[in-house]
Amino acid sequence: MSRNPIPLLTVLLCATFFASAQKPGDYRLFLKSGVITPEKNISSSISETFNRRVLPVKGKRFTVIQFDHIPTSEERLQLSQSGIELLDYIPNNAYTASISGNLNTNVLSVVKARSIVELKPEQKMFPSLAQKQFPSWAVKVANTIDVVISFPKTFSFEEVSNELKAKNFDLISEVFKDYRIITVRSSQQRLTELASYPFVEYMQPEHGEDVAINNKDIPNGKGNVLQSSLGRNLKGEGVVIGIGDDSEPLSHIDYAGRVINHAAATPAAHGSHVIGT
């Protein structure tokens, strides 16, 4: 069975149940590294500090911007015209964002932005990586580790691969580059540096080999037996199940024009899909 990849909404930010769980005045961000509540900080001084501390690559910076309300289409257009492109939505009232050129907080004030968040490299890593705990299957060469990273849509694959090459990181796999997911080999000592770049949305260890499970039909393991009072009285309540497969559905006639999200998993698997009706 295939594991899920690293879409930012489900990995970088482990939110509970998106808008349905959002409460007015709740500005907490649920990061994998912990829960934070950004301070309200939009001002001219924050732009100077941000531009000085957050170094761009190809003239672009990556950040999180939180608002007092969900921006309207007109407000998003205003932001875009000022070089601020909102990317993925994050509860509560926050978005990952790509900023072209220097940050100008004037437009942020106009559209009622509340806070701009400088993500630390550790906040863009899977927790075990930040703690220098490396799974054995991801260490193929001594003192290195293979990591899967996602990059923002504002960066092309060519830009990212060229930057990695210039900075002496090895690109191991580009199978899922169209989904902005690649595998990179890094020195274990340079993971923080790699995560600090604005072309890295999130980073986690490379997946281990897929392991087949539940591949045998055992009579005593059938659903009607498990839920029986004579069996184990298991009802499945409170259990969330994710299903992945190793197929490629995009060319299948039943899926034609219906795939609205294709979440890549590993070079050996195509993962899970969201199908529109």
Side-chain angles (χ1 to χ4, degrees), residues 189-203:
Q189 302 302 317
R190 297 184 65 195
L191 282 180
T192 300
E193 175 194 343
L194 178 59
S196 71
Y197 293 120
F199 55 80
V200 175
E201 277 187 329
Y202 194 78
M203 179 170 69

Side-chain angles (χ1 to χ4, degrees), residues 8 21 28 30 39 45-46 70 85 110 133-134 143 157 233 244 249 261 267 276:
L8 196 60
R28 292 174 298 170
F30 294 84
E39 294 183 2
S45 61
I46 193 64
I70 301 297
E85 184 168 354
V110 170
Q133 298 174 0
F134 309 127
N143 300 317
F157 166 72
N233 201 30
N261 182 32

Side-chain angles (χ1 to χ4, degrees), residues 42 65 67 79 84 103-113:
I42 300 301
I65 302 176
F67 299 84
L79 291 166
I84 301 173
L103 171 67
N104 186 330
T105 55
N106 291 336
V107 68
L108 291 177
S109 298
V110 170
V111 301
K112 307 299 183 186

Side-chain angles (χ1 to χ4, degrees), residues 198-229:
F199 55 80
V200 175
E201 277 187 329
Y202 194 78
M203 179 170 69
Q204 69 180 40
E206 183 186 37
H207 303 299
E209 292 294 328
D210 291 340
V211 178
I213 60 175
N214 295 340
N215 61 331
K216 294 181 180 180
D217 184 10
I218 302 174
N220 290 331
K222 292 182 178 179
N224 61 333
V225 175
L226 292 176
Q227 67 178 337
S228 168
S229 59

Side-chain angles (χ1 to χ4, degrees), residues 33-49:
S33 57
V35 180
I36 64 171
T37 301
E39 294 183 2
K40 192 170 185 176
N41 64 1
I42 300 301
S43 66
S44 58
S45 61
I46 193 64
S47 62
E48 297 173 1
T49 302

Side-chain angles (χ1 to χ4, degrees), residues 145-198:
I145 182 171
D146 291 358
V147 292
V148 181
I149 69 172
S150 64
F151 56 91
K153 65 181 180 181
T154 47
F155 284 90
S156 69
F157 166 72
E158 288 72 24
E159 287 177 323
V160 174
S161 60
N162 288 338
E163 286 296 322
L164 290 169
K165 182 178 180 181
K167 293 172 171 53
N168 295 316
F169 291 100
D170 295 327
L171 180 60
I172 301 301
S173 174
E174 57 185 70
V175 173
F176 294 111
K177 65 181 182 182
D178 292 341
Y179 308 107
R180 308 195 313 276
I181 295 174
I182 56 178
T183 303
V184 176
R185 180 166 294 160
S186 167
S187 162
Q188 295 176 3
Q189 302 302 317
R190 297 184 65 195
L191 282 180
T192 300
E193 175 194 343
L194 178 59
S196 71
Y197 293 120

